[in-house]
Amino acid sequence: MGNEVLEKLQEVIIKGKRADSPALVTQAIEDGVDVDTIINTMSDAMKVVGEKFSKGEYFITEMLLGAHAFKAGFDVLRPKLEEKVKKTGGQSKKGVIVLGTVINDIHDIGKNMVASALQAAGFEVHDIGIDVPLEKFIEKAEEVNADIIALSALLTTTMGETKNLIELLKQSGVREKYKVLIGGAPISQKFADAVGADAYGEDAFDAVNKAKKLMGLS
Ligand code: B12
């Protein structure tokens, strides 16, 4: 990695030291490290946390501590992320999005980053939280007259809910009213194609690009 501050940042997230991550993010920003690099560093640290959990080296508690350290650091980074997205054409209203993490899934860090980026880009974002029943996505979309329904899923056991939502939209006779955008660690473009989603976003910046595309704006 070649940058001591980034190395330390990665380490404090892996070790779940919430008190130390904000100062390191601030330092990285002051050193002129770009937002993408900081985000990637932090996200990579979370992957390491996940790997340690898979190997049985970490338990839920350590995973949660990692999440807290990530969130504390991201709070410092959020304005920079928003600034960057705004530079690429934010401001004017681009569309209405209902966003949530699917039922039986409580991971929200990635979803929250996506929400910040979409908002900064000028989308009206209705974040309906975590563990959201599929009916609720549709109810909210109808209520706020949404253009896009965006789903986050972090578990291989919940990623199939994206397909279920699309089925439910069809059954309810409203599939054509909404574009469906999906994302989350186990999801890929291939998976999105297989379930018939309208788009897949790899990260927060890609979520903005894909949402703009869905609105015919790029
Ligand atoms: C932190 C964490 C937790 C925290 C979550 C805290 C929180 N508030 O979110 C806690 C401790 C609660 C947790 C619980 C569990 N977890 Co967990 N968790 C993680 C971990 C380490 C990091 C996730 C994260 O925040 N990453 C950082 C963010 C920035 O990345 P991201 O979420 O991928 O989001 C980015 C993109 O995916 C994308 N994106 C995300 N959403 C969306 C949505 C849209 C619309 C778009 C376009 C893009 C997009 O943009 C984001 C920004 O770049 C992952 C490891 C990993 N590799 O993902 C495991 C992981 C996801 N968890 C896992 C497991 C197994 C669990 C538990 C089942 C453990 C258990 N036995 O109880 C529970 C499940 C609880 C539940 N019902 O949901 C496994 C899943 C394995 C699998 N095959 O499904 C993983 C992969 C760890 C592992 N390697 O074993 N977890």
Side-chain angles (χ1 to χ4, degrees), residues 39-40 42-55 58-68 70-71 74 97-115 118 130-131 148-159 180-187 199-208 210-211:
I39 290 182
N40 288 339
M42 294 173 69
S43 300
D44 285 349
M46 290 306 266
K47 282 188 194 137
V48 175
V49 171
E51 282 156 18
K52 285 186 180 290
F53 177 78
S54 302
K55 284 192 236 154
Y58 272 11
F59 296 101
I60 292 280
T61 317
E62 283 91 354
M63 227 169 15
L64 207 49
L65 289 174
H68 289 319
F70 185 104
K71 282 190 178 183
F74 185 66
I97 302 183
V98 169
L99 168 71
T101 301
V102 298
I103 184 137
N104 294 326
D105 197 327
I106 61 168
H107 296 84
D108 68 354
I109 293 178
K111 169 187 70 61
N112 295 346
M113 287 173 70
V114 166
L118 288 170
I130 55 174
D131 192 16
I148 298 173
I149 299 180
L151 306 178
S152 181
L154 262 290
L155 299 169
T156 45
T157 50
T158 60
M159 64 198 282
V180 177
L181 169 65
I182 65 175
I187 292 179
Y200 156 70
E202 192 181 359
D203 56 30
F205 296 112
D206 198 29
V208 170
K210 298 293 168 59

